[in-house]
Amino acid sequence: MRDNFHDDLDRIGATLIDMTGLVASAMSMATDALLDADIALADSVISADAKIDGAYQDLEERSFELLARQQPVAGDLRTIVTSLRMVADLERMGDLALHIAKIARMRYPNSAVPDELRETIREMGQVAERIVVKTGDVVAGKDLTLASELETDDDVMDALHKKLFSVLLFQDWPYGVETAIDITLLGRYYERFADHAVSVARRIVFLVTGEMPRTAA
Amino acid sequence: MRDNFHDDLDRIGATLIDMTGLVASAMSMATDALLDADIALADSVISADAKIDGAYQDLEERSFELLARQQPVAGDLRTIVTSLRMVADLERMGDLALHIAKIARMRYPNSAVPDELRETIREMGQVAERIVVKTGDVVAGKDLTLASELETDDDVMDALHKKLFSVLLFQDWPYGVETAIDITLLGRYYERFADHAVSVARRIVFLVTGEMPRTAA
């Protein structure tokens, strides 16, 4: 039989997995809102962020309560402390999806993304979603092989990010400075989103192996 | 007489304060390197980042050791867990100063900042430095009045960030897309730097008052 403490610990793990789902959905909708200039979808992402923030605060409070009440040791303690850091990454990923939705909203009824960059942004959105779904699986299954796949996915994101800049810097960029700013920020948001997901996966590796994860620069 | 445990705890606090100093110095040098196209200074920032990363990893390891060995309770536990989160913010602030130095380096022998934006960037650098120095004082003195001042400083940073965009978007921006990208990213780095500093100060407020800090969006 499980005791209350381990039920609480399981609930923290379940909340983290739920949050990866919320964040994946936010990112998927934000990319669609951006490419289709869909303001209703953008607004959905913006209002759904409160749910992610709520999950974050709730998990934080429960973790502190658990730490104070139960004085967990060794592995349990490490799990709780690491969860507190993973949830901060996930909350930030929600913010980044929110920032993308806000750019979609700001440029409505136009799309912020010019035609020749649509495909690259679409791919960045797909990679971001794939990364966070895998991150959820890593959290759920403590699968180290899957965690190392995320490093490769992150390299794909970095390559797409570079590609974005190379189009921006191609001589005679015809879309003006405003669009260049939007694309620069969008590129940064997708790239940081992936970085945070990789950071969550690295913390799982740390929990399983006891080895400190590499620092994301 | 203090016991070993509380000496260890004091050392963690001292490391956090040291890190605010390292980060303040990195930011100050990065801004000078950027404005003066000073490649030697940019390189100093880049190589000094290893020291910040080292302090981060060291504090993380010592905290986990302390958690595992001493099973601290209540306030001490909260202090250690919160320190782990503050040190992550400080490490990230070091990375942002590093990113600024890298832009300085990339555009050498030119400055990445056109003349008409020098003053705004200089002010952003000054506000960033003031914020992190104050953050160090907040960590050292648990001064809640000073912590609330940081919210105002952060508003000043946001206003400067908006000013940057308004110049970029002024019609007939004459400096081309590459410079627009640089300025967009630089603005983002300074603004995020301030956000992370405010986040550190909010965690101190949380430690002192027990109230959860507001989430930085």
Side-chain angles (χ1 to χ4, degrees):
Chain A
M1 253 183 55
R2 309 300 307 276
D3 52 27
N4 282 342
F5 172 68
H6 284 96
D7 287 344
D8 288 343
L9 214 53
D10 287 348
R11 264 197 291 277
I12 285 176
T15 303
L16 284 173
I17 296 164
D18 286 350
M19 280 185 78
T20 61
L22 291 174
V23 167
S25 156
M27 185 44 120
S28 164
M29 291 197 298
T31 303
D32 287 346
L34 185 67
L35 292 173
D36 303 338
D38 184 335
I39 198 169
L41 204 54
D43 284 339
S44 302
V45 177
I46 293 166
S47 60
D49 190 55
K51 207 171 162 184
I52 297 172
D53 290 347
Y56 167 58
Q57 276 157 22
D58 181 52
L59 191 147
E60 193 161 74
E61 275 168 38
R62 278 188 289 144
S63 301
F64 271 100
E65 247 184 67
L66 215 55
L67 286 171
R69 220 178 50 227
Q70 302 276 356
Q71 304 176 29
V73 295
D76 291 340
L77 177 63
R78 202 158 66 165
T79 299
I80 297 173
V81 173
T82 305
S83 297
L84 277 169
R85 306 185 71 176
M86 292 192 283
V87 74
D89 280 311
L90 289 165
E91 190 268 340
R92 184 73 204 143
M93 290 163 76
D95 284 343
L96 291 164
L98 175 74
H99 289 336
I100 291 170
K102 282 185 173 170
I103 289 184
R105 192 174 215 303
M106 198 159 51
R107 298 303 167 221
Y108 177 83
N110 300 311
S111 168
V113 181
D115 281 348
E116 65 207 84
L117 283 172
R118 286 180 65 81
E119 200 41 43
T120 309
I121 292 286
R122 190 189 306 284
E123 281 180 63
M124 290 178 92
Q126 284 165 349
V127 174
E129 207 187 330
R130 185 167 77 223
I131 284 181
V132 67
V133 167
K134 267 190 208 173
T135 297
D137 291 343
V138 169
V139 175
K142 311 278 182 291
D143 181 335
L144 299 193
T145 312
L146 203 56
S148 74
E149 270 183 43
L150 278 167
E151 306 282 345
T152 316
D153 291 327
D154 191 38
D155 292 341
V156 174
M157 182 64 96
D158 289 343
L160 288 166
H161 192 206
K162 282 210 181 78
K163 191 172 161 189
L164 212 58
F165 281 123
S166 73
V167 176
L168 275 180
L169 291 172
F170 191 75
Q171 63 188 105
D172 300 328
W173 168 258
Y175 301 103
V177 169
E178 185 175 85
T179 304
I181 295 174
D182 285 347
I183 296 297
T184 302
L185 290 175
L186 288 168
R188 180 97 191 134
Y189 298 150
Y190 282 103
E191 189 230 345
R192 291 296 301 154
F193 184 94
D195 285 345
H196 283 285
V198 169
S199 161
V200 171
R202 284 179 186 161
R203 292 190 198 284
I204 293 290
V205 174
F206 169 61
L207 274 183
V208 174
T209 66
E211 299 241 326
M212 284 286 171
R214 281 194 289 146
T215 307
Chain B
M1 253 181 56
R2 310 300 309 273
D3 51 25
N4 282 342
F5 172 69
H6 283 97
D7 286 344
D8 287 344
L9 214 53
D10 287 346
R11 263 197 292 276
I12 286 178
T15 303
L16 283 174
I17 296 164
D18 286 349
M19 280 185 77
T20 62
L22 291 174
V23 167
S25 154
M27 186 43 120
S28 164
M29 290 197 297
T31 302
D32 287 346
L34 186 67
L35 292 172
D36 303 339
D38 184 335
I39 198 169
L41 205 53
D43 284 339
S44 302
V45 176
I46 293 166
S47 60
D49 190 55
K51 206 169 162 187
I52 297 172
D53 289 347
Y56 167 57
Q57 276 157 23
D58 181 51
L59 191 147
E60 191 160 77
E61 275 168 38
R62 277 188 289 143
S63 300
F64 271 100
E65 247 183 68
L66 215 55
L67 286 170
R69 220 178 50 226
Q70 302 276 358
Q71 304 175 32
V73 295
D76 291 339
L77 177 62
R78 205 157 65 164
T79 299
I80 297 173
V81 173
T82 304
S83 298
L84 277 168
R85 306 186 72 177
M86 293 191 284
V87 74
D89 281 309
L90 289 165
E91 189 269 340
R92 185 73 204 144
M93 290 163 76
D95 284 343
L96 291 164
L98 175 73
H99 288 336
I100 292 170
K102 281 185 173 170
I103 289 184
R105 191 175 215 303
M106 197 158 53
R107 300 302 168 221
Y108 177 83
N110 300 312
S111 168
V113 181
D115 281 347
E116 65 206 82
L117 283 172
R118 286 179 66 81
E119 199 42 43
T120 310
I121 292 284
R122 188 189 309 282
E123 281 181 61
M124 290 179 92
Q126 284 165 349
V127 175
E129 207 187 330
R130 186 166 77 224
I131 284 181
V132 68
V133 168
K134 267 190 206 172
T135 297
D137 290 344
V138 169
V139 175
K142 310 278 182 293
D143 181 335
L144 299 193
T145 312
L146 203 57
S148 75
E149 269 182 43
L150 278 166
E151 305 283 345
T152 315
D153 291 328
D154 190 38
D155 292 341
V156 174
M157 181 64 97
D158 288 344
L160 288 166
H161 191 207
K162 283 210 180 79
K163 190 172 164 191
L164 212 58
F165 280 123
S166 73
V167 176
L168 275 179
L169 291 172
F170 192 77
Q171 61 190 102
D172 301 326
W173 167 258
Y175 302 103
V177 170
E178 186 176 84
T179 303
I181 295 174
D182 285 347
I183 295 298
T184 303
L185 290 175
L186 288 167
R188 181 96 190 132
Y189 298 150
Y190 282 104
E191 190 230 343
R192 291 296 301 154
F193 185 93
D195 285 345
H196 282 286
V198 169
S199 163
V200 171
R202 284 179 185 162
R203 291 189 199 284
I204 293 289
V205 174
F206 170 61
L207 273 183
V208 175
T209 67
E211 298 240 327
M212 284 287 170
R214 279 195 292 146
T215 307

